[in-house]
Amino acid sequence: MGNMNADFMNAKLADAKIHFERALDCKHTEFDDLYPYMIEHPQFFWYKRYVAWSELLTIVKLCEELSIEWHESFTAKQVDYIGKRVMSSRVLDEWYETNDSKEHVG
């Protein structure tokens, strides 16, 4: 049962990470389908990212409570952001940045 739980939670963690990254990239997520009337709202993308971040933190918390390793799915910087729990502008701006990534053209 333990491995099955870990596999299930790892799949949920991967889904939550993809959901957050799609929200960061302003790509379509389930949130768009749930609240189509909000797309015109200037705060829409902020709400969408907030929902995805909350989902990610919830899955991480469940992994911790179940003693399931989750750190290896993220960079060290991302683990630090998740540990701080606050979705700051730094999280939004630097989520993808790694030492070997291409420099963002400003």
Side-chain angles (χ1 to χ4, degrees):
M1 188 70 174
N3 277 352
M4 201 165 89
N5 278 347
D7 290 346
F8 175 79
M9 290 306 296
N10 282 323
K12 293 295 172 195
L13 184 66
D15 289 347
K17 183 176 188 239
I18 289 167
H19 183 197
F20 179 64
E21 291 178 350
R22 287 187 65 83
L24 269 185
D25 296 340
C26 301
K27 292 181 179 170
H28 186 274
T29 71
E30 187 181 64
F31 192 76
D32 298 72
D33 299 329
L34 294 173
Y35 304 102
Y37 63 90
M38 281 184 61
I39 291 172
E40 302 300 317
H41 196 287
Q43 293 295 314
F44 176 74
F45 288 110
W46 188 90
Y47 286 120
K48 183 171 162 169
R49 290 168 181 160
Y50 174 78
V51 167
W53 180 245
S54 297
E55 178 188 4
L56 181 60
L57 292 181
T58 299
I59 299 294
V60 165
K61 184 178 178 188
L62 288 171
C63 286
E64 288 180 342
E65 289 176 4
L66 293 166
S67 300
I68 294 169
E69 170 56 44
W70 60 270
H71 295 81
E72 56 201 31
S73 300
F74 301 90
T75 67
K77 194 180 254 189
Q78 290 169 347
V79 168
D80 184 53
Y81 295 148
I82 290 167
K84 290 178 178 160
R85 300 185 59 81
V86 177
M87 189 182 72
S88 64
S89 57
R90 172 168 277 180
V91 173
L92 298 177
D93 293 341
E94 300 180 14
W95 180 260
Y96 290 116
E97 288 189 14
T98 58
N99 292 335
D100 56 5
S101 69
K102 288 180 280 188
E103 289 207 11
H104 293 276
V105 178

